[in-house]
Amino acid sequence: MGLISEFGKLTRLVYDAADGAGNWMDFVNEAGRVFDAVHAVLTTEAPDRGTGMAEGASHLWVQYHCGAYGGRDPLMERAWRLPRGTLSLVQQIDEDPVLANSDFYRSFLAHNGLRHFMHVLLPQGPGRVAFFCLTRSDQKPPFSSDEIEAVEALMPHLQRALRSGSGAHGMTLFETSPYGLILLDRHGRTICANNLALGLLDALDGVSLKVDFLHLAGLREMTPAARSGGLARPIAFRIERPRADTPLTALLTAVPEEWRRHEGRDAVALLVLSDPGSTSYPDAAVLMGLYGLTPREARFAQTLVETRGMRPTSNELGISPETARRHLKSVFEKTRTHSQSELIHLLVRHPAAFLGQAAAPEVLQRAS
């Protein structure tokens, strides 16, 4: 239960930093402590040049200073070669047949007793990435499987917060909503879109953005009422998608008061997009905090909701049917459910599936 409670604290620190209620050093300091690291580093706003160098605003927590290395860093180069969001894990580097023979290891890492590493590059915006790193010394054990899972579960939160971190209070729910949200001005121009909406825009399937004007399949223009901000009631419609059988469902509605002013521009309408093919369910941190699930059990429960079957769930997670059954039995006991359908119903109807994934588990506990 220790790592579970610490994970909840880390996610809250991430969203506090994005929302302006905290800062990234608070998160980095706590991450270094929780994962018993020698170094914890978060570099933000780095140009995505693939150079193997993280040039940006650096937030660093250290137990001891190692100095700087001016040569080629194969560990960071490896992280840059991986897809964004993929964890680069190197443990017991002295046993690695390639890295252990590098000048970087012999002249710098070995000298400073650095042995176990976790790196990840996260997209932060067009042409920009953030770099997160945890390092342990040769006096510490390798990162455990639970710790690795916890870092992997933390990455979506960190990425979401880094992309949304404008320092504007009240935007966390906007960024973590299970729906695609787009703020529009009186001319129909896009002011701001959350990550889910950006994903739909990037797909170019029914909804797209040219310069800053939205193009919606089957809809020629916004209604005059929407342009003026005079929406008396929400307007519901659907957006046909050439590449999918089911259309997107859309709702054009008034903007909540706290979102009307964003980066010096006035929003008069909120476009809410939903993909019927996607399923909302509580975030892993919430499941862990609410029910005491382990990271593996939380991921299992989420995958079961997505696949709606034990065999596809075990295939998706790469686990045996026996392991899947053990996970299911444990999840049943902890959630007090008795069947797969009851468990899925609980998760997709839980308030955490709709309130956004930044909500603190202890708050949701009171609401459940």
Side-chain angles (χ1 to χ4, degrees):
M1 289 293 293
L3 186 57
I4 294 173
S5 61
E6 300 283 14
F7 183 89
K9 183 176 182 180
L10 285 172
T11 58
R12 288 192 290 277
L13 288 172
V14 160
Y15 289 115
D16 282 348
D19 201 33
N23 58 69
W24 289 117
M25 274 307 305
D26 293 338
F27 162 71
V28 171
N29 290 342
E30 190 65 14
R33 185 190 67 79
V34 167
F35 293 101
D36 195 20
V38 173
H39 300 145
V41 181
L42 175 65
T43 300
T44 60
E45 301 292 342
D48 193 1
R49 298 175 180 154
T51 60
M53 298 295 292
E55 323 158 51
S58 185
H59 311 273
L60 172 66
W61 179 87
V62 298
Q63 283 193 358
Y64 62 82
H65 289 276
C66 297
Y69 179 75
R72 176 174 163 265
D73 183 340
L75 276 174
M76 190 174 286
E77 287 177 358
R78 174 179 171 175
W80 280 87
R81 287 195 298 269
L82 292 172
R84 302 298 174 254
T86 302
L87 191 67
S88 173
L89 177 67
V90 177
Q91 306 216 76
Q92 299 172 328
I93 191 173
D94 53 311
E95 299 178 8
D96 187 284
V98 176
L99 295 173
N101 292 316
S102 69
D103 289 338
F104 180 50
Y105 174 73
R106 292 196 302 265
S107 65
F108 184 73
L109 299 182
H111 175 73
N112 288 287
L114 305 179
R115 193 180 191 196
H116 315 293
F117 309 87
M118 280 198 279
H119 300 125
V120 66
L121 282 156
L122 299 167
Q124 195 172 355
R128 293 176 294 126
V129 293
F131 175 76
F132 180 58
C133 171
L134 293 168
T135 304
R136 273 186 179 162
S137 73
D138 54 11
Q139 302 300 312
K140 305 287 185 180
F143 293 103
S144 70
S145 58
D146 284 345
E147 289 172 326
I148 295 166
E149 272 199 274
V151 172
E152 290 177 330
L154 183 65
M155 289 306 97
H157 294 281
L158 186 55
Q159 178 175 328
R160 191 178 298 120
L162 285 163
R163 293 192 66 167
S164 67
S166 63
H169 292 278
M171 292 302 288
T172 299
L173 186 57
F174 180 88
E175 293 297 340
T176 59
S177 169
Y179 304 101
L181 302 179
I182 301 176
L183 294 175
L184 303 172
D185 69 12
R186 63 187 181 88
H187 302 292
R189 294 189 180 96
T190 299
I191 296 175
C192 180
N194 68 0
N195 283 342
L196 286 182
L198 289 172
L200 293 171
L201 291 169
D202 290 343
L204 299 175
D205 192 18
V207 55
S208 58
L209 192 65
K210 293 184 178 179
V211 189
D212 54 358
F213 284 95
L214 273 177
H215 289 250
L216 310 176
L219 187 70
R220 291 185 178 274
E221 61 176 323
M222 289 175 58
T223 65
R227 286 200 302 269
S228 64
L231 283 166
R233 64 184 64 180
I235 301 170
F237 56 97
R238 68 183 192 179
I239 302 172
E240 297 294 339
R241 294 188 288 176
R243 304 174 193 169
D245 294 332
T246 57
L248 296 173
T249 57
L251 188 72
L252 196 61
T253 187
V255 183
E257 179 66 35
E258 62 269 25
W259 297 345
R260 287 183 184 172
R261 187 74 176 170
H262 183 68
E263 296 184 351
R265 299 171 66 186
D266 293 319
V268 302
L270 175 67
L271 181 64
V272 183
L273 300 173
S274 178
D275 182 356
S278 66
T279 303
S280 297
Y281 46 76
D283 182 79
V286 174
L287 292 177
M288 291 159 65
L290 281 172
Y291 304 113
L293 303 187
T294 66
R296 286 192 181 91
E297 290 168 348
R299 180 59 184 142
F300 170 83
Q302 291 177 316
T303 307
L304 184 64
V305 172
E306 292 175 348
T307 64
R308 304 299 173 105
M310 287 289 284
R311 179 172 293 179
T313 295
S314 59
N315 290 341
E316 177 70 20
L317 296 176
I319 59 177
S320 68
E322 292 76 16
T323 300
R325 284 193 288 270
R326 286 198 301 272
H327 285 335
L328 183 63
K329 180 181 178 181
S330 180
V331 171
F332 278 168
E333 291 175 352
K334 293 178 180 180
T335 60
R336 301 181 186 179
T337 54
H338 305 88
S339 67
Q340 293 180 44
S341 60
E342 186 181 356
L343 173 63
I344 292 170
H345 183 82
L346 170 70
L347 298 185
V348 300
R349 294 295 184 91
H350 196 284
F354 304 98
L355 290 176
Q357 298 169 346
E362 63 267 23
V363 174
L364 294 171
Q365 179 73 66
R366 295 196 294 268
S368 60

